Amino acid sequence: MKKVTVSTLLAKKQAGEKITSLTAYDTSFAKLFDEAGIDALLIGDSLGMVLHGQDDTLNVTVADIAYHTRAVRRGTSRAFVLADMPFMSYATPEQSYTNAATLMAAGASMVKVEGGQWLCDTVRGLVERSVPVCGHLGLTPQSVHVLGGFKVQGRQSDKAQQLLDDALALEQAGIQLLVLECVPTSLGRKISQALSIPVIGIGAGNGTDGQILVMHDMLGVSANYMPKFSKNYLAENGDLRQALQQYIEQVKSGAFPGPEHSFE
């Protein structure tokens, strides 16, 4: 199979073909996911919680993400590889340039940042310097203390409009992909339809252009708790490869996420 690029993901959106993605943190799982046909792999700062046992993602460093990005890249021959920019690694445009360069050198094909219109100058600067950028709106885990916990975002009409405005502004600034987390299904669909770039949902309903889950949640082995928006595919199949294949098939068909995994 051909190597997945940002152009591949855009073509999938335009064709109405769902994008499949998971987090990955090491070579073995990256190779397994890659061979199964997953479109994109994210080295998420979620590693702070699922690998390090922290209560949130804020302790993760650029060095941590770079280490795991190198490992994932070694196991990947076709999937698109994204890397999270951790907490306070892009507080200024200049910081973002240095830290993004580290992650791109480690093997990422794109970096992901959390936040709205305040990031537009940073996005423009990164893109001008040949760094592809993925945005992240809705529940942004790095802002968990400002948000007052891991809560659904965009339920009020003014908050929903702000998220749409942020998404459009970020697209105009140059992001080529957007992750939308924990928003009502109707808002996930509305933002996906308003943007020309692919929107990958996690707890955003099945109206987005694709789905991503933390691999530990998808396999039911998270140490803390199972989010409402996730599904334990391993419990249903009893075999890791079959669980992975079912996840891919259900995302592509639109069967996942169902109403029980979504918010209204």
Side-chain angles (χ1 to χ4, degrees):
M1 291 183 283
K2 291 183 179 179
K3 190 173 182 64
V4 178
T5 67
V6 69
S7 297
T8 311
L9 301 179
L10 179 59
K12 283 180 176 287
K13 177 187 176 86
Q14 293 170 342
E17 195 177 324
K18 296 289 188 180
I19 296 165
T20 61
S21 46
L22 285 168
T23 63
Y25 314 97
D26 65 28
T27 302
S28 297
F29 275 103
K31 186 172 187 294
L32 179 69
F33 298 162
D34 188 73
E35 291 175 347
I38 283 283
D39 295 316
L41 295 174
L42 169 68
I43 299 87
D45 58 6
S46 50
L47 68 87
M49 301 175 74
V50 297
L51 297 186
H52 298 170
Q54 300 288 343
D55 292 332
D56 52 43
T57 66
L58 305 187
N59 289 283
V60 177
T61 66
V62 173
D64 290 332
I65 298 290
Y67 172 88
H68 290 280
T69 299
R70 285 190 290 271
V72 168
R73 174 55 73 185
R74 292 187 196 107
T76 306
S77 61
R78 54 163 301 282
F80 191 70
V81 176
L82 300 91
D84 261 341
M85 296 275 282
F87 180 61
M88 292 300 288
S89 66
Y90 49 98
T92 67
E94 290 71 23
Q95 280 181 307
S96 75
Y97 306 154
T98 299
N99 292 322
T102 298
L103 299 183
M104 295 293 286
S109 297
M110 179 179 277
V111 298
K112 182 168 75 64
V113 294
E114 298 182 10
Q117 295 181 47
W118 68 271
L119 274 172
C120 286
D121 286 343
T122 295
V123 170
R124 279 188 285 266
L126 286 168
V127 172
E128 286 170 356
R129 289 158 178 80
S130 302
V131 178
V133 183
C134 173
H136 185 151
L137 292 172
L139 172 58
T140 47
Q142 292 175 17
S143 304
V144 63
H145 296 303
V146 174
L147 298 175
F150 295 95
K151 299 178 179 179
V152 180
Q153 303 297 304
R155 278 186 160 145
Q156 299 85 6
S157 59
D158 59 329
K159 300 296 185 183
Q161 185 62 49
Q162 183 63 60
L163 287 173
L164 176 58
D165 292 345
D166 284 341
L168 291 168
L170 287 169
E171 180 181 34
Q172 184 65 33
I175 65 167
Q176 293 175 283
L177 200 63
L178 177 69
V179 170
L180 191 58
E181 182 169 356
C182 280
V183 301
T185 297
S186 57
L187 181 58
R189 181 178 295 106
K190 183 176 183 179
I191 291 176
S192 299
Q193 292 173 347
L195 269 57
S196 60
I197 60 172
V199 177
I200 310 299
I202 176 168
N206 63 4
T208 57
D209 303 306
Q211 301 293 328
I212 186 167
L213 286 179
V214 173
M215 57 166 280
H216 293 71
D217 293 340
M218 191 270 287
L219 297 174
V221 294
S222 292
N224 296 321
Y225 74 102
M226 176 68 73
K228 170 186 166 72
F229 55 73
S230 190
K231 179 178 178 179
N232 184 347
Y233 280 90
L234 189 58
E236 289 191 6
N237 291 274
D239 177 84
L240 198 154
R241 286 176 173 80
Q242 289 179 8
L244 180 57
Q245 204 57 51
Q246 186 186 37
Y247 169 68
I248 292 172
E249 290 170 359
Q250 289 194 353
V251 170
K252 286 184 174 181
S253 70
F256 177 83
E260 68 273 27
H261 311 111
S262 307
F263 305 99
E264 295 299 338

